[in-house]
Amino acid sequence: MMIIDLHNHSYYSDGVLSPSEVVRLAKKEGCDVFALTDHDTTDGLAEAQQQADEIGLKLVHGVEVSAMCSKMTVHIVGLGVDINNTTLQAGLKQHQKFRRVRAEKMARGLGGAGVFNAMEKTQAIAKTDMITRTHFAQMLVQEGVCKDMRSVFKRFLTGKKPGGVGGKWAEYDEVIAWIHAAGGQAVLAHPLRYRMTNTKVKRLLSHLAGAGLDGVEVVTGSSSADEITLVSQWAKEFKLLSSQGSDYHGWPNQRVAIGKLMEMPNSETTIWRDWL
Ligand code: AMP
Ligand code: MN
Ligand code: MN
Ligand code: MN
């Protein structure tokens, strides 16, 4: 049995480890195929590739792109992308720019709630230019404003809460087109984590499939057996390939581990069937 994990983060987005460290950990956990998929950036992949070559691990070049669908934010993972593709990079640059604008707005919102110098404090936590809501969350825990990440997202950083700023990501069809322009496959990440009813998720899948989506994550690090069965049926229904990934971030309290995934039921129609 090959161990395949196609969804992981480094500190180039909101993961804890460097690209080299995640690649070494993936090898240690027995991974045969591993994708680094940071949020809206491919900047960690050069370092990851160098390390993967040194220790002999098959690295898939990935990226987890934020996207809008019916005014909701969803995540579309690009797998096997050419990181030098100008269409993809122009799109990601647009998202990186929005992240900086959004971070300033979030910091202002938090200032209104009595959390001062939020921007400086958050920037100090981030290891790169990329600022995610996770960094703001870490800052609020570190400052003693909240006791853990869960309560941060409940009290701040969402909807009309202080620090909540609406997404202004590219539409899903554009994002899928960027990934395809870069020669990659587009996969809907963690379909059951969007706070939507199953009916809405199916509508989402049907929109995305119509725009050329290639696959959906059937198995994630936090999936239950019932969830896997459900999504594997949706994959068949919408004629999508099946992907799997832990969504490892390396946070101390995160239960998921790289490569530790339940079995994929759709073994004939995996996203990697033509790679190996
Ligand atoms: P961003 O892309 O900057 O909006 O940040 C989204 C990231 O925040 C996700 O990829 C998760 O890693 C993290 N996140 C979102 N909601 C929660 C939550 N309720 N608890 C913990 N982390 C969350
Ligand atoms: Mn994340
Ligand atoms: Mn995600
Ligand atoms: Mn992720």
Side-chain angles (χ1 to χ4, degrees), residues 7 9 39 64 75 189-190 193-194 247:
H7 189 154
H9 295 274
H39 295 287
E64 182 175 13
H75 287 172
H190 42 67
R193 239 197 281 148
Y194 295 118
D247 205 3

Side-chain angles (χ1 to χ4, degrees), residues 9 14 39 134 249 251:
H9 295 274
D14 56 352
H39 295 287
T134 307
H249 285 76
W251 302 323

Side-chain angles (χ1 to χ4, degrees), residues 151-215:
S151 54
V152 174
F153 279 92
K154 246 189 184 152
R155 290 171 52 197
F156 301 93
L157 314 185
T158 50
K160 301 239 182 310
K161 310 274 166 62
V165 179
K168 257 201 185 143
W169 315 109
E171 283 292 320
Y172 64 97
D173 50 345
E174 269 185 89
V175 167
I176 292 171
W178 299 345
I179 292 167
H180 285 168
Q185 288 165 295
V187 171
L188 178 68
H190 42 67
L192 298 179
R193 239 197 281 148
Y194 295 118
R195 287 160 194 267
M196 289 181 202
T197 59
N198 286 352
T199 312
K200 283 230 169 102
V201 181
K202 287 183 76 172
R203 200 170 307 150
L204 168 68
L205 276 170
S206 130
H207 280 131
L208 294 171
L213 188 79
D214 300 282

